[in-house]
Amino acid sequence: MKHLLTAIFMVLGLSFCLPSSGAAAPRDSVVDKVVQRGTLRVGFSSFVPWAMQDKEGKYIGFEIDVAERLAKDLGVKLQLVPTNWDGIIPALLSGKFDVIIGSMSITPQRLLSVNFSIPYDHAYVDLTLNREKSADIQKLEDLNREGVTIAVRTGTTAAAAAARLFPKATLRMFNDEAPAVEEVLSGRAHAFVSSAPLPAMETLRHGDRLVQKFETGLAMQPVAFAVPKGDFDTLNVFDGWIRLVEEEGWLQERRNYWFKSDAWQSRVN
């Protein structure tokens, strides 16, 4: 733990003094409990390609890589805790896991419930359209009208962006992306709005039924670790670790693999 903290503060360029072995650690520090327990419990929900199951049922993805590297650097084991997205913050606050590492973007509403680390990624909201139903849709504003149905995942940044941009349309909510995509593929909805690169990936897979007409993303928000309020010791460690692996180039290398290549798709298809 001391070696990790030393490396982190060297990157930060800050002077510090580690507590002696006899000094009492902060009573409510999650990171201290993690080290004592020897296990980092990470809450997440499936979002392709952030977190998903491979052919053998093992969880893989960008978030999984981040969680595995963090646990390794802390010198502890990793325990993944799959959790429904609409209940993930209450689960964190009830102590079911130590941190949310699950492509969670920072929003004012979430800031009322949890504290966030510095960003380790950014979420870009994108959309794809049913090719046949979108024949008369030529610009984004065409989606903001009565009679248009948009499929989204409940409680996500994409759902919030769709509600803000297309208030006249009907939003159809789903607990997962797969049924939302199917809603558009079947022609029951005009568009599927989600975090990139999923809409583009689905368009490539179903080019006969889906089409993307707009090059620019709908929104961009910072993505960060979420922890219970008031635990500044844990935030300090996580912030320093994010800076460390960002400067190292490891985070960008993982982004390139998961978001800018299709090398991983053979592991799930």
Side-chain angles (χ1 to χ4, degrees), residues 83-261:
T83 307
N84 289 335
W85 187 250
D86 56 0
I88 199 166
I89 288 180
L92 170 70
L93 300 181
S94 67
K96 291 185 178 180
F97 39 82
D98 305 305
V99 57
I100 297 172
I101 304 179
S103 62
M104 178 169 279
S105 58
I106 300 171
T107 68
Q109 293 78 16
R110 291 170 182 162
L111 284 168
L112 297 175
S113 301
V114 298
N115 284 154
F116 284 99
S117 68
I118 62 172
Y120 65 99
D121 197 18
H122 287 82
Y124 298 86
V125 178
D126 200 1
L127 65 81
T128 188
L129 300 158
N130 178 284
R131 185 178 290 275
E132 184 176 346
K133 288 180 73 70
S134 69
D136 63 340
I137 295 175
Q138 300 301 324
K139 55 185 183 297
L140 279 175
E141 291 78 7
D142 293 338
L143 288 169
N144 186 31
R145 65 190 186 197
E146 294 182 1
V148 170
T149 301
I150 299 174
V152 294
R153 184 172 180 174
T154 303
T156 60
T157 299
R164 184 181 72 253
L165 293 170
F166 314 119
K168 296 179 182 179
T170 298
L171 298 190
R172 195 160 291 166
M173 304 287 186
F174 296 87
N175 289 327
D176 202 285
E177 271 90 1
V181 172
E182 183 58 36
E183 196 76 357
V184 182
L185 288 172
S186 66
R188 293 188 295 269
H190 292 77
F192 167 60
V193 178
S194 180
S195 295
L198 185 55
M201 290 167 47
E202 293 295 342
T203 304
L204 288 173
R205 290 177 60 192
H206 306 284
D208 58 328
R209 286 179 285 173
L210 300 180
V211 62
Q212 287 191 294
K213 297 184 177 182
F214 315 113
E215 295 184 0
T216 57
L218 304 182
M220 181 188 76
Q221 287 187 305
V223 171
F225 298 171
V227 298
K229 279 186 168 291
D231 191 351
F232 300 108
D233 179 44
T234 298
L235 277 179
N236 187 51
V237 171
F238 288 166
D239 286 352
W241 181 84
I242 291 168
R243 290 188 175 99
L244 181 69
V245 293
E246 189 72 85
E247 290 292 329
E248 184 184 288
W250 180 85
L251 269 180
Q252 188 58 51
E253 186 274 328
R254 291 292 80 197
R255 292 189 198 106
N256 291 342
Y257 176 80
W258 290 108
F259 302 133
K260 297 183 179 180
S261 82

Side-chain angles (χ1 to χ4, degrees), residues 21-51:
S21 58
R27 183 173 300 174
D28 296 325
S29 170
V30 167
V31 75
D32 183 63
K33 293 176 183 177
V34 165
V35 173
Q36 290 182 7
R37 188 194 309 129
T39 303
L40 175 68
R41 303 172 304 166
V42 172
F44 72 102
S45 191
S46 295
F47 287 93
V48 179
W50 288 268

